[in-house]
């Protein structure tokens, strides 16, 4: 791969993780970073920040047991008559802190005297300065149009916020923190030692379109991966929940199909059976981004035809959930970069794309 800002910023991600962990975690305790008086959160964001919010929603509900919802900034703005609930914390995510439709949504909440929280990568920005509560992702300037370190930094911040809420409710969070101090070393190893990224890029770059499927956290990661590949390579990539893919979406599969599957060693029986059914019934060429090869069983024959051998883009298995999540995102970023470069795209300045910002 030739040098570019996107690659440079991917390589900076482990240091961002280390900085945030060291700043907010001390002696097994997460520093207070969330206003404790709110029992309900509504995430409002656009683009990659929306995918970040979707992961945050899962952290807040699964770890902190906080009622949450999420909405695109543009859709939030579409309802000018919406009621702003004073008991809800409206949570705005924007890498630049200047995203236009997210600024408009914040203005609506402020005009109606609602409560706001900003998660941005720029503490000298409109959204940061005009929110009641705030947190800086502190990933440093991001010059490539495709969000990388600002996205994963934001994901880690949301995980830290969820842990802080849970901790303040008296929940034991020790299990979530196991091995977290090694996050820089672990994610650096993922970047340096994950195999078959280039082989996967070669297969996927030859496609006009292909689906990505994932379950739970991996579905949201798949959505972010699809966006990264679309905006850097211009390939029509769409993400589906693994189970939902069986409900009509399999009609796009044929004997020449390629599918990108995301899963990990924590895959449950339902997810495994769904992946097996896709493989058995449609026999697509599978590119599997995973930390284990055990999930895809050995199907020697499929309707009389030899099973197409999957290509595993396999990274090291970690017991810590957030390290696994961040590792999956980083590999998808590297995969998107490789696909774009095989197609001769300018990954730092994709055609027709700019970060959606406005004057503050």
């Amino acid at each position: 791969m030739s040098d570019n800002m996107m690659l440079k910023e991917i390589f900076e991600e482990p240091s961002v993780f280390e900085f945030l962990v060291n700043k907010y975690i001390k002696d097994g305790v997460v520093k207070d970073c969330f206003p404790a008086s709110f029992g309900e959160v509504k995430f409002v964001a656009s683009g990659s920040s929306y995918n970040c919010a979707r992961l945050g929603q899962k952290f807040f509900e699964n770890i902190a047991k906080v009622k949450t919802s999420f909405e695109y900034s543009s859709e939030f703005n579409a309802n000018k008559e919406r009621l702003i609930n004073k008991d809800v914390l409206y949570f705005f995510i924007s890498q630049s802190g200047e995203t236009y439709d997210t600024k408009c949504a914040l203005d609506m909440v402020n005009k109606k005297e609602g409560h706001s929280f900003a998660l941005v990568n720029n503490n000298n920005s409109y959204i940061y300065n005009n929110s009641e509560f705030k947190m800086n992702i502190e990933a440093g300037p991001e010059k490539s149009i495709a969000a990388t370190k600002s996205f994963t930094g934001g994901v880690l911040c949301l995980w830290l916020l969820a842990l802080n809420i849970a901790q303040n409710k008296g929940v034991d969070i020790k299990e979530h923190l196991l091995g977290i101090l090694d996050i820089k070393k672990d994610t650096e190893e993922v970047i340096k030692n994950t195999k078959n990224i280039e082989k996967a890029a070669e297969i996927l770059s030859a496609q006009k379109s292909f689906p990505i499927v994932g379950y739970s956290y991996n579905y949201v990661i798949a959505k972010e991966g699809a966006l990264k590949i679309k905006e850097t390579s211009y390939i029509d990539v769409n993400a589906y929940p693994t189970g939902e893919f069986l409900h009509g979406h399999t009609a796009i599969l044929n004997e020449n199909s390629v599918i990108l599957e995301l899963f990990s060693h924590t895959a449950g029986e339902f997810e495994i059976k769904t992946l097996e059914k896709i493989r058995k019934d449609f026999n697509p060429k599978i590119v599997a981004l995973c930390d284990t090869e055990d999930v895809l069983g050995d199907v020697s024959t499929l309707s009389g035809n030899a099973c197409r051998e999957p290509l595993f883009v396999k990274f090291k298995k970690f017991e810590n959930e957030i390290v696994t999540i961040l590792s999956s995102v980083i590999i998808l970023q590297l995969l998107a970069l490789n696909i774009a470069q095989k197609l001769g795209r300018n990954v730092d300045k994709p055609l027709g794309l700019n970060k959606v910002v406005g004057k503050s």
Side-chain angles (χ1 to χ4, degrees), residues 38-53:
F38 296 94
E40 183 174 346
V41 171
K42 184 173 187 67
F43 290 103
V44 183
S46 304
S48 283
S49 293
Y50 178 79
N51 294 329
C52 184

Side-chain angles (χ1 to χ4, degrees), residues 325-343:
I325 289 170
L326 294 173
S327 296
S328 298
V329 175
I330 288 173
I331 295 170
L332 272 173
Q333 292 171 351
L334 288 168
L335 182 58
L337 174 59
N338 272 268
I339 293 171
Q341 291 194 315
K342 287 187 181 299
L343 294 170

